[in-house]
Amino acid sequence: MASFLSVIPPFLLSVLIFSGAVVARGDVLELGDADFDYLAAEHETMLVKFYAPWCGHCKKLAPDFETAATRLKGTVPLAKVDCTASPDTCGRFGVTGYPTLKIFRNGEDASSYDGPRSADGIVHFMKKQAGPNSVTLRREADLEAFVNHFDASVVGFFSGPDSGQLAEFLKAASVMREHFRFAHTIDMTLGLKHGVDTERVLLFRPPRLSSKFEESVLRFTETITTHTLRRFIRDNIFGMCPHLTNENRDKLKGQDLLTAYYDLDYLQNPKGTNYWRNRVMKVGSQFASQGLSFAVANRRDFVDELEEEFGLGASDGGDLPFVTIRTQQGFKYTMREEFTRDGKSLERFLEDYFAGRLKRYIKSEPIPEKNKGPVKVVVAESFEEIVNDPEKDVLIEFYAPWCGHCKSLEPKYKELAEQLYSDPNIVIAKMDATANDVPQAFDVQGFPTIYFAQAGKKDQPKRYEGAHEVKDFIKYLKRESSHVPVVSRVREDL
């Protein structure tokens, strides 16, 4: 098939479509019912996108997927299947939503793709998928080349090919290869310079993150199982102050995290990059036992997030780092004092944080000067006063100004508020969730999202899942409210 395609002029290849043939537009292979099985089997590893032409998310992914395919050409092929044209293939692999991405090995469905969906993220993730689960190291030069990498490396040293611990290591590598880099050797002499004198697994942190504040090589001392090795890697791979990226952000942000953002560049300026990282680590080491994690990040990678979540522009801080803290509960803090080279300003910031003296940063519209309408306008700064009023039952709509469904709901929601306006115990409210921070207890993933916060149970808000007619809202409030609602001008059909 490859030789057949190579003789087709590019302008014909772009329009070639016939039963049983693979079609390539750009560097993404197009597969279908007629050819999927035998073409997928030709590749050791392949990433396949199952899509529908009308799918908005598919269209959004397409440019990044094409770019990734070009960059991965010759390493890992990327393919796509139009499920509207090839329903049998999509049905066999359990595709129920679009886009669905799966990793295939030698034609077999190996796993769902759960990596990032940017071009850089796909390339980074899929490069880890190419080749064996664990790379075999035969010489010292192989070991040095493997660990001298941008990412951390997990290396096992074993006494021979029949080692039971080697078998367990390879089993663990097959399970975790999507997330970590593995290599092994059966030449124990390769580990001598690292103090290895018996079968052992070592975790090598990336050389670019080497620091006097922590060990660069860590020893795994337990019996190898997938569970114990995963726990060891998870607990140690990032170290004291990792490089936060778009690819690892979800793993790092599940904790109380301080991040220093600056012009970080490990490719062009590793020395300057580590200058500021070392200052974060020096100060952070004084607070290491207090439950706060630390990271550094390239501010250019998070411009939109910093502006949206912390009100920080790209020029804030100038050439100096600016520092934020985000807790697991969603509380946010920013260091307003300039980051001094001696680290003292960061030290004062952390002392104030742990002493509870910092004021939380809250993204909020101004509190309305007048708020007498039937639907109360809530902003982040007034959320506690209005929605969490312990004496009031509150129904709150989280909306977006551009949302069509929200605009359709508006007259019905206003009518509901008018019918309940005379009830002093019930508040009908709304908040623009794009312009205000939404409290952690209210999970808003789409618009409109409506919650009910009952009097006396403000820590247990309930998502409203009912229909959006006035009568349906009133029936719900009669059932859930702490007081019997006082309804005026009720229509007969209620």
Side-chain angles (χ1 to χ4, degrees):
M1 181 60 70
S3 61
F4 165 70
L5 291 174
S6 66
V7 299
I8 301 175
F11 75 93
L12 285 178
L13 183 60
S14 66
V15 297
L16 179 62
I17 303 177
F18 59 87
S19 177
V22 61
V23 179
R25 290 186 177 87
D27 293 308
V28 178
L29 301 176
E30 294 190 33
L31 308 181
D33 286 341
D35 54 26
F36 185 92
D37 288 338
Y38 73 84
L39 288 173
E42 292 181 356
H43 301 285
E44 180 181 309
T45 304
M46 182 167 67
L47 177 63
V48 180
K49 175 182 70 172
F50 297 91
Y51 74 102
W54 47 259
C55 164
H57 292 297
C58 303
K59 294 176 182 177
K60 183 178 179 181
L61 174 62
D64 283 299
F65 199 73
E66 184 67 52
T67 299
T70 300
R71 289 169 56 184
L72 287 167
K73 193 173 183 178
T75 304
V76 179
L78 269 59
K80 60 183 179 181
V81 177
D82 179 352
C83 291
T84 65
S86 301
D88 292 345
T89 299
C90 298
R92 280 194 294 127
F93 296 114
V95 176
T96 57
Y98 310 117
T100 293
L101 276 65
K102 288 180 174 288
I103 296 171
F104 286 78
R105 300 193 190 281
N106 300 310
E108 298 294 326
D109 181 0
S111 65
S112 295
Y113 173 87
D114 62 355
R117 298 201 172 190
S118 64
D120 287 344
I122 293 171
V123 171
H124 183 77
F125 190 95
M126 290 309 299
K127 278 184 175 180
K128 293 181 179 180
Q129 305 304 309
N133 296 328
S134 177
V135 176
T136 301
L137 307 176
R138 294 182 172 84
R139 299 170 299 171
E140 186 171 337
D142 296 337
L143 173 61
E144 293 303 317
F146 185 78
V147 301
N148 188 23
H149 194 273
F150 197 79
D151 294 320
S153 308
V154 183
V155 181
F157 300 84
F158 303 98
S159 57
D162 298 325
S163 166
Q165 285 290 273
L166 171 58
E168 289 296 324
F169 180 84
L170 294 177
K171 186 187 300 182
S174 70
V175 173
M176 294 186 282
R177 64 167 294 162
E178 294 182 8
H179 306 287
F180 310 113
R181 305 175 64 248
F182 292 90
H184 67 277
T185 182
I186 55 174
D187 184 351
M188 293 291 293
T189 63
L190 298 189
L192 292 177
K193 67 181 294 184
H194 299 291
V196 174
D197 54 8
T198 186
E199 290 193 327
R200 181 77 67 202
V201 175
L202 300 181
L203 170 62
F204 293 82
R205 290 186 175 133
R208 65 190 172 91
L209 299 180
S210 177
S211 169
K212 66 180 181 181
F213 295 103
E214 62 182 352
E215 297 292 333
S216 296
V217 181
L218 289 87
R219 290 169 167 251
F220 175 70
T221 57
E222 299 180 57
T223 300
I224 299 174
T225 66
T226 299
H227 173 71
T228 57
L229 191 56
R230 179 190 282 119
R231 183 178 59 199
F232 168 75
I233 297 172
R234 181 196 63 205
D235 292 346
N236 294 284
I237 194 165
F238 290 122
M240 180 182 170
C241 186
H243 173 194
L244 176 70
T245 66
N246 283 310
E247 279 67 55
N248 65 23
R249 61 189 295 174
D250 290 339
K251 296 176 183 176
L252 288 172
K253 289 190 172 181
Q255 54 194 319
D256 294 350
L257 182 67
L258 177 146
T259 307
Y261 298 88
Y262 56 98
D263 292 331
L264 180 152
D265 189 344
Y266 275 109
L267 296 178
Q268 302 296 327
N269 187 21
K271 185 176 180 180
T273 292
N274 277 330
Y275 176 87
W276 290 114
R277 179 173 177 267
N278 286 336
R279 274 141 188 79
V280 173
M281 295 181 76
K282 181 179 180 181
V283 176
S285 62
Q286 303 173 40
F287 300 88
S289 63
Q290 299 193 43
L292 182 66
S293 299
F294 300 84
V296 293
N298 186 345
R299 75 175 81 197
R300 291 187 295 273
D301 292 340
F302 296 94
V303 169
D304 292 342
E305 177 178 316
L306 288 169
E307 183 174 356
E308 177 73 14
E309 298 296 324
F310 291 95
L312 294 167
S315 61
D316 285 352
D319 294 332
L320 301 175
F322 48 75
V323 177
T324 69
I325 293 176
R326 183 197 293 270
T327 70
Q328 295 180 67
Q329 291 76 30
F331 297 162
K332 299 181 292 186
Y333 306 87
T334 60
M335 188 174 88
R336 292 300 179 179
E337 185 180 354
E338 187 176 87
F339 197 126
T340 55
R341 295 180 184 272
D342 61 6
K344 293 297 183 181
S345 61
L346 179 60
E347 187 175 330
R348 287 190 290 272
F349 176 66
L350 285 169
E351 288 172 348
D352 287 343
Y353 170 72
F354 286 113
R357 293 191 292 265
L358 292 183
K359 182 180 179 181
R360 281 195 289 146
Y361 172 80
I362 299 177
K363 182 179 72 172
S364 178
E365 294 178 291
I367 296 176
E369 293 184 8
K370 297 181 180 179
N371 202 8
K372 299 295 185 181
V375 178
K376 301 303 178 187
V377 176
V378 176
V379 298
E381 291 284 5
S382 64
F383 195 95
E384 187 68 23
E385 177 186 353
I386 297 176
V387 181
N388 286 338
D389 183 339
E391 304 298 324
K392 300 291 179 70
D393 292 323
V394 181
L395 188 73
I396 180 166
E397 174 204 2
F398 297 95
Y399 72 96
W402 44 260
C403 166
H405 293 296
C406 304
K407 292 176 182 177
S408 298
L409 173 63
E410 186 172 4
K412 300 173 185 178
Y413 202 66
K414 182 179 179 182
E415 182 182 342
L416 169 69
E418 289 172 343
Q419 292 197 26
L420 294 170
Y421 190 69
S422 61
D423 190 328
N425 300 308
I426 294 182
V427 175
I428 307 300
K430 66 178 182 178
M431 185 169 91
D432 180 352
T434 68
N436 298 275
D437 278 341
V438 177
Q440 196 85 349
F442 298 80
D443 183 23
V444 177
Q445 301 294 332
F447 304 110
T449 296
I450 301 172
Y451 270 89
F452 178 68
Q454 188 184 58
K457 296 183 179 180
K458 297 299 179 176
D459 59 337
Q460 303 171 43
K462 297 180 179 179
R463 183 194 293 269
Y464 175 78
E465 304 284 4
H468 287 181
E469 299 296 331
V470 175
K471 63 180 181 179
D472 298 300
F473 284 121
I474 289 179
K475 287 178 181 178
Y476 176 85
L477 292 172
K478 285 181 177 179
R479 183 175 70 249
E480 299 292 338
S481 295
S482 59
H483 302 79
V484 178
V486 177
V487 182
S488 59
R489 295 190 293 112
V490 182
R491 300 196 306 270
E492 292 181 359
D493 61 345
L494 295 180

